[in-house]
Amino acid sequence: MRKLLIVLIGLQLTLNSECSILPQHIKKCRFGNTTCIRDTANALIRNFPKGIPSVGLKPLDVVHVKDTVLINDRQEGVLWYFFQLLNQINYGFENTTIIDIKGFDEDPTSSKIIIKGQIPRLIYKGIYKAMGRLLWMVQINSTGESESEFLNFRFDFTLKVQTEYRNGKRYLKIYQLVPNVYVDRWIQWLENFFPENTDLTIAMNRIFNANWVEFWNELEKPILEVFTGVFLSMIEDIFYNVSYDDMFLSNNENVN
């Protein structure tokens, strides 16, 4: 029994030490061949909207987002506001088109990695919590369903990475991700914002949607923080599970 346990433990350690590899039918590219890398990324998105758990690619059609505080004023005086998004789920990343990629050289630390893409329609659904005071007239204390729709959503993000060695292979570790996000239109609906007054809730949502650019400019920093977390969650596990060298063709391999 003791010998059997030793064998089983040894086998488990061996299995855990092996890195994940990309499925064989996924086209590999040469280091730095960004056109090929872009095409492979788009093929992955199109063919695997539910993800590839074995390599750490999470589902793209349903993306869970961490709870986020967008506004958190000091709760004093006659004018302050608190707004939090909870249990948010993102729909639409499975329709992403990667339009440009830079980097991914043989030495990934020698240059920045830049990824640009666009999504026709991105939707966030979840729960919001709002509290506040608007002068002496309006007290806000509401919770309800929220939905945001971003039309013609474009993004780019820049990665800075470092390499770490495991089992004699190189793995990427992200130490900085800087995103930029652009939209043609932001449409939002907050249900029951004024629980006692449906007309006022409708009016408030109409005001927001008529003046969405001003709200976008005001909230751009926390919005970018949200998308930083989203983008990281999508790629960090892939870099952790699949060695950098296994992502690309070796010198003696031929392109599929």
Side-chain angles (χ1 to χ4, degrees), residues 8-54:
L8 290 173
I9 292 171
L11 178 60
Q12 182 65 38
L13 291 173
T14 300
L15 291 173
N16 288 342
S17 68
E18 294 178 353
C19 66
S20 301
I21 59 174
L22 292 172
Q24 291 184 351
H25 57 281
I26 295 176
K27 181 181 179 181
K28 286 187 177 183
C29 305
R30 301 285 183 195
F31 290 113
N33 185 343
T34 53
T35 300
C36 175
I37 297 169
R38 179 202 64 199
D39 293 344
T40 292
N42 282 320
L44 276 170
I45 293 168
R46 287 194 303 271
N47 295 324
F48 299 96
K50 301 295 183 182
I52 309 175
S54 61

Side-chain angles (χ1 to χ4, degrees), residues 54-89:
S54 61
V55 302
L57 178 62
K58 295 178 179 177
L60 299 173
D61 56 345
V62 178
V63 176
H64 294 271
V65 183
K66 291 182 179 179
D67 296 346
T68 304
V69 175
L70 288 183
I71 305 173
N72 189 14
D73 296 334
R74 182 176 295 180
Q75 297 183 15
E76 60 183 28
V78 297
L79 183 61
W80 60 269
Y81 193 53
F82 172 88
F83 188 82
Q84 183 179 24
L85 294 173
L86 307 164
N87 303 325
Q88 294 289 301
I89 299 178

Side-chain angles (χ1 to χ4, degrees), residues 119-122 148-154 181-188 205-216:
I119 306 169
R121 183 169 174 256
L122 193 64
S148 282
E149 183 176 356
F150 302 102
L151 301 182
N152 194 19
F153 181 93
R154 287 100 62 207
V181 169
Y182 314 92
V183 296
D184 283 355
R185 187 79 169 89
W186 179 15
I187 303 169
Q188 180 171 261
N205 280 286
R206 285 177 175 171
I207 290 172
F208 176 92
N209 290 319
N211 300 275
W212 71 270
V213 174
E214 287 78 6
F215 285 98
W216 178 270

Side-chain angles (χ1 to χ4, degrees), residues 178-198:
V178 179
N180 291 298
V181 169
Y182 314 92
V183 296
D184 283 355
R185 187 79 169 89
W186 179 15
I187 303 169
Q188 180 171 261
W189 179 261
L190 302 177
E191 189 72 27
N192 294 325
F193 193 79
F194 294 101
E196 307 297 327
N197 192 326
T198 301

Side-chain angles (χ1 to χ4, degrees), residues 120-247:
R121 183 169 174 256
L122 193 64
I123 295 176
Y124 272 76
K125 291 184 179 182
I127 303 296
Y128 78 90
K129 181 177 181 181
M131 297 186 296
R133 179 182 297 158
L134 304 180
L135 301 178
W136 58 89
M137 296 179 293
V138 180
Q139 298 282 340
I140 299 171
N141 188 4
S142 56
T143 300
E145 294 182 1
S146 67
E147 180 172 335
S148 282
E149 183 176 356
F150 302 102
L151 301 182
N152 194 19
F153 181 93
R154 287 100 62 207
F155 66 86
D156 64 72
F157 58 86
T158 301
L159 298 175
K160 291 184 178 180
V161 300
Q162 59 191 21
T163 55
E164 59 181 19
Y165 283 83
R166 284 186 273 128
N167 310 313
K169 293 188 176 184
R170 297 184 299 168
Y171 290 79
L172 295 189
K173 187 173 183 179
I174 301 168
Y175 68 86
Q176 185 181 66
L177 187 153
V178 179
N180 291 298
V181 169
Y182 314 92
V183 296
D184 283 355
R185 187 79 169 89
W186 179 15
I187 303 169
Q188 180 171 261
W189 179 261
L190 302 177
E191 189 72 27
N192 294 325
F193 193 79
F194 294 101
E196 307 297 327
N197 192 326
T198 301
D199 291 339
L200 197 54
T201 292
I202 294 172
M204 188 282 302
N205 280 286
R206 285 177 175 171
I207 290 172
F208 176 92
N209 290 319
N211 300 275
W212 71 270
V213 174
E214 287 78 6
F215 285 98
W216 178 270
N217 292 335
E218 182 74 21
L219 298 174
E220 185 175 15
K221 183 178 179 180
I223 288 173
L224 288 178
E225 291 175 357
V226 171
F227 282 107
T228 297
V230 170
F231 292 136
L232 278 173
S233 71
M234 289 181 169
I235 58 181
E236 268 188 325
D237 287 351
I238 299 173
F239 287 171
Y240 180 83
N241 285 289
V242 183
S243 80
Y244 187 64
D245 296 302
D246 287 335
M247 293 181 185

